[in-house]
Amino acid sequence: RIIETLYGKLKGVMVTDQVSVFRGIPYAAPPVAERRWRPPQAPETWREVRDATLFSDSCIQPTFASSYVWRRADFAVTEDCLYLNIWAKQSAENLPVMVWFHGGAHTSGQGHSQIFDGTTLAEHDVILVSINYRLGALGFLAHPWLSEESDHASSGNYGLLDKIAALNWVRDNIAQFGGNPDNVTIFGQSAGSQSVCSLMVSPLAQGLFHKAIGQSAACVGPAPRRDAAGLERGEKLVEFLGADSLEALRAVPPVEILTATDTSGWANASRIVIDGWVLPEPQVDTFRAGRQAQVPLMLGCLSDEGVNLLPLNEALTEDQLV
């Protein structure tokens, strides 16, 4: 099956006799080199039919967290990771669209994990979209140098801007897959849920979705007020890296950024920050004032769901557990 988007043609693959999947579709340019720590830019166009049968590599994240639920399996990671995936019936026409944001504390995870396969939802007449977005300090570093070069005096929240870019791509292209761009639901779990709540209060995301679901709602309670912009943590991380300029900072290898993230304690507070542009104020303040997106919202959580995030101990017996 071949679909034509605004950027070029895509060839997907049938996964059932009814459903096709299109994998590894670029929704933004690679956020590398001078585009590191900048808002996502539009992807380049292509002339030939693009093979969309393989998932992209995942975004940079720790490789040593084998006991962490979001990274128990090893997989390739890269900075060039702004891609999305689409599951759709061959016969799809003007169907509702659901866009999935994976969890993982905004430091780990991928949108194409097997548990997020969209085939079943597509069989129930939904167009399912999953995305990868920048993680950790590569996705959420706030620093005065970055704010100074920004047209909006803002830094951080690049991972949120990635999600907004993906929603813009969906708005402009999803009809070609049989989806209704005026009936888009965003949904996510844990960090994905926090993103849902944050997008509901971001002026940049208004009008890009029409319903929202937060699984493990993570931003409807009071937010930390100290260093809400994340600049203090960002400066500390950059000090650990030893970079003396923005140019030098952008040249630091990703593995060194991961190490500094750990040693500096950068990730011990919220990765999403109140930057004044993507998020003008704490999310809970916007909700309390009723200024959030006026769309249907479903929130939920599970009792003791956090136990699934505990380190995996294969030596633990059932008797010891009890």
Side-chain angles (χ1 to χ4, degrees):
R1 184 183 180 189
I2 295 177
I3 298 290
E4 185 161 6
T5 72
L6 292 178
Y7 301 97
K9 294 181 180 179
L10 296 165
K11 182 179 180 180
V13 61
M14 297 290 294
V15 288
T16 72
D17 59 355
Q18 298 184 71
V19 177
S20 297
V21 60
F22 298 82
R23 303 178 175 120
I25 305 170
Y27 67 85
V32 300
E34 73 279 357
R35 289 193 290 263
R36 180 190 277 182
W37 293 310
R38 282 196 168 108
Q41 300 176 23
E44 294 184 359
T45 59
W46 57 87
R47 288 190 175 183
E48 303 297 326
V49 176
R50 182 184 179 97
D51 180 21
T53 60
L54 298 175
F55 290 120
S56 67
D57 289 343
S58 302
C59 293
I60 295 290
Q61 54 193 279
T63 58
F64 50 79
S66 61
S67 63
Y68 187 42
V69 67
W70 297 108
R71 194 68 203 275
R72 285 180 178 166
D74 196 20
F75 44 76
V77 296
T78 177
E79 278 195 82
D80 178 8
C81 64
L82 301 187
Y83 298 84
L84 56 79
N85 317 290
I86 299 174
W87 287 262
K89 268 187 177 180
Q90 292 272 78
S91 59
E93 184 175 348
N94 206 40
L95 294 181
V97 181
M98 298 186 74
V99 181
W100 171 251
F101 302 137
H102 70 79
H106 285 123
T107 58
S108 297
Q110 56 182 355
H112 55 272
S113 292
Q114 187 174 355
I115 58 173
F116 304 146
D117 183 89
T119 303
T120 299
L121 277 171
E123 289 176 332
H124 286 81
D125 292 327
V126 168
I127 307 294
L128 192 284
V129 181
S130 71
I131 77 165
N132 285 344
Y133 54 89
R134 282 175 281 183
L135 300 166
L138 286 166
F140 294 91
L141 176 67
H143 191 276
W145 292 344
L146 296 168
S147 297
E148 288 169 8
E149 76 166 6
S150 166
D151 292 338
H152 308 280
S154 159
S155 62
N157 290 336
Y158 304 105
L160 275 182
L161 287 166
D162 293 343
K163 296 179 180 76
I164 293 169
L167 290 173
N168 275 293
W169 192 98
V170 167
R171 178 198 60 199
D172 296 338
N173 294 278
I174 205 64
Q176 299 300 105
F177 298 82
N180 181 355
D182 296 319
N183 187 2
V184 175
T185 298
I186 58 173
F187 71 129
Q189 185 268 339
S190 192
S193 177
Q194 186 182 27
S195 295
V196 166
C197 295
S198 296
L199 293 177
M200 286 191 68
V201 306
S202 174
L204 306 185
Q206 300 312 296
L208 295 178
F209 59 92
H210 314 93
K211 301 163 191 172
I213 301 171
Q215 302 165 217
S216 311
C219 75
V220 291
R225 300 286 173 166
R226 189 185 182 285
D227 192 29
L231 296 172
E232 293 180 24
R233 287 183 294 122
E235 289 187 274
K236 187 175 180 181
L237 184 146
V238 172
E239 287 176 9
F240 269 79
L241 288 170
D244 58 5
S245 69
L246 195 47
E247 182 180 10
L249 185 60
R250 287 199 165 103
V252 174
V255 66
E256 294 184 22
I257 296 172
L258 288 175
T259 299
T261 297
D262 186 41
T263 55
S264 70
W266 177 86
N268 292 339
S270 174
R271 272 61 68 196
I272 292 179
V273 297
I274 309 305
D275 65 306
W277 177 45
V278 182
L279 292 178
E281 63 182 357
Q283 302 95 320
V284 67
D285 292 353
T286 307
F287 275 98
R288 283 173 174 161
R291 293 190 295 266
Q292 78 279 4
Q294 299 301 304
V295 302
L297 170 64
M298 179 187 298
L299 298 176
C301 61
L302 300 174
S303 176
D304 300 321
E305 63 180 61
V307 299
N308 289 320
L309 301 179
L310 295 175
L312 180 63
N313 183 355
E314 296 181 348
L316 187 67
T317 67
E318 187 173 348
D319 290 340
Q320 290 172 327
L321 179 62
V322 174

